[in-house]
């Protein structure tokens, strides 16, 4: 029997990041977890719980920050999990360098300095082939403008620090799938391949010609991978 699938967005993202994949994906029930509404880890986990009925199993598909939240929830609720798919999302904890970078970001945000339409912002998240594509770079910019610095600040604080989940995922019986973007500058394919071998995951796939925003850049490929998991 087909089971519901929960979709979780990344930092400073909403349902727009998933829309191109949803348009190509056939699922029994599509349920979206609006992490853009949350300002703490507890709220993110509670929003996920709210979308799962008592006694049912669900597939979890989380992008970036959403992948980490999905993994956290799955570890806490293994009997409700049919599968976990982490997309451009690392189960490892933050490195000292990443925590330092986040501290700098928080300082910048508190001073009111945030420009989602800057070339540097787009370059970090979007593959060069898609940086002039309004359906990719334009959506990233629009989400950044609409959700704003307050959401980015809340998401960053809610997920810092970020403990590693690899040991706990090793002990879980549900399938774990990892999807990497081949040219991701934020969560590199090499890191995710290592994580897939460490857990070990039930599948690892690298999406070609894609940066961190692989859901927008390569929805055909991502939807095909997800379809094979949820069928």
């Amino acid at each position: 029997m087909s089971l519901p699938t929960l979709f979780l967005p990344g930092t400073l993202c909403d349902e727009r990041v998933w829309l191109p994949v949803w348009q190509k994906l056939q699922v029994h029930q599509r349920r979206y977890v609006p992490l853009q509404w949350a300002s703490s880890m507890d709220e993110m986990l509670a929003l996920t719980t709210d979308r799962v009925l008592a006694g049912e199993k669900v597939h979890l598909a989380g992008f970036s920050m959403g992948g980490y939240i999905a993994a956290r929830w799955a570890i806490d609720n293994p009997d409700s999990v049919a599968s976990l798919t982490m997309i451009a999302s690392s189960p490892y904890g933050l490195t000292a360098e990443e925590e330092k970078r986040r501290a700098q970001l928080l300082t910048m945000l508190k001073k009111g300095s945030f420009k989602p339409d800057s070339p540097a912002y787009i370059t970090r998240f979007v593959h060069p082939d898609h940086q002039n594509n309004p359906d990719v770079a334009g959506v990233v910019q629009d989400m950044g403008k609409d959700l704003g610095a307050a959401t980015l600040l809340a998401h960053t604080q809610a997920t810092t620090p970020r403990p590693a989940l690899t040991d706990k995922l090793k002990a879980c019986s549900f399938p774990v799938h990892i999807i990497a973007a081949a040219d991701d500058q934020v969560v590199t394919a090499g890191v995710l391949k290592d994580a897939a071998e460490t857990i070990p995951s039930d599948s690892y796939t690298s999406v070609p010609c894609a940066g961190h925003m692989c859901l927008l850049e390569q929805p055909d490929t991502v939807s095909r991978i997800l379809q094979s998991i949820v069928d």
Side-chain angles (χ1 to χ4, degrees), residues 107-230:
T107 299
M108 179 190 75
L109 292 172
K110 290 173 182 177
K111 290 180 178 178
S113 178
F114 174 56
K115 298 178 180 178
D117 55 351
S118 71
Y121 183 79
I122 296 303
T123 298
R124 176 165 169 75
F125 294 105
V126 178
H127 188 279
D129 289 353
H130 304 284
Q131 289 176 9
N132 294 314
N133 183 346
D135 293 331
V136 180
V139 172
V140 175
Q141 290 173 329
D142 288 345
M143 289 190 298
K145 292 175 184 176
D146 294 344
L147 298 176
T151 300
L152 179 55
L153 179 65
H155 282 178
T156 304
Q157 289 177 321
T159 57
T160 307
R162 187 183 293 193
L165 302 178
T166 45
D167 287 345
K168 291 182 178 179
L169 287 173
K170 286 179 187 178
C172 293
S173 59
F174 52 76
V176 177
H177 305 276
I178 293 179
I179 301 175
D183 304 299
D184 195 338
Q185 295 184 45
V186 180
V187 185
T188 68
V191 166
L192 293 187
K193 190 173 191 301
D194 182 78
E197 294 169 353
T198 298
I199 293 173
S201 69
D202 289 74
S203 72
Y204 165 82
T205 312
S206 178
V207 178
C209 299
H212 190 64
M213 304 305 293
C214 57
L215 300 183
L216 298 172
E217 296 170 330
Q218 299 294 347
D220 289 349
T221 301
V222 174
S223 64
R224 281 198 299 270
I225 298 167
L226 282 175
Q227 194 72 64
S228 69
I229 292 169
V230 302

Side-chain angles (χ1 to χ4, degrees), residues 8-11 13 17-18 61-68 85-89 212-215:
L8 292 82
T11 300
C13 294
V17 79
W18 277 108
F63 166 66
S64 195
M65 177 190 73
Y68 185 86
T85 303
M86 302 180 71
I87 304 171
S89 177
H212 190 64
M213 304 305 293
C214 57
L215 300 183

Side-chain angles (χ1 to χ4, degrees), residues 64-82:
S64 195
M65 177 190 73
Y68 185 86
I69 303 304
R72 275 284 306 269
W73 190 89
I75 289 166
D76 292 341
N77 302 273
D79 293 340
S80 298
V81 180

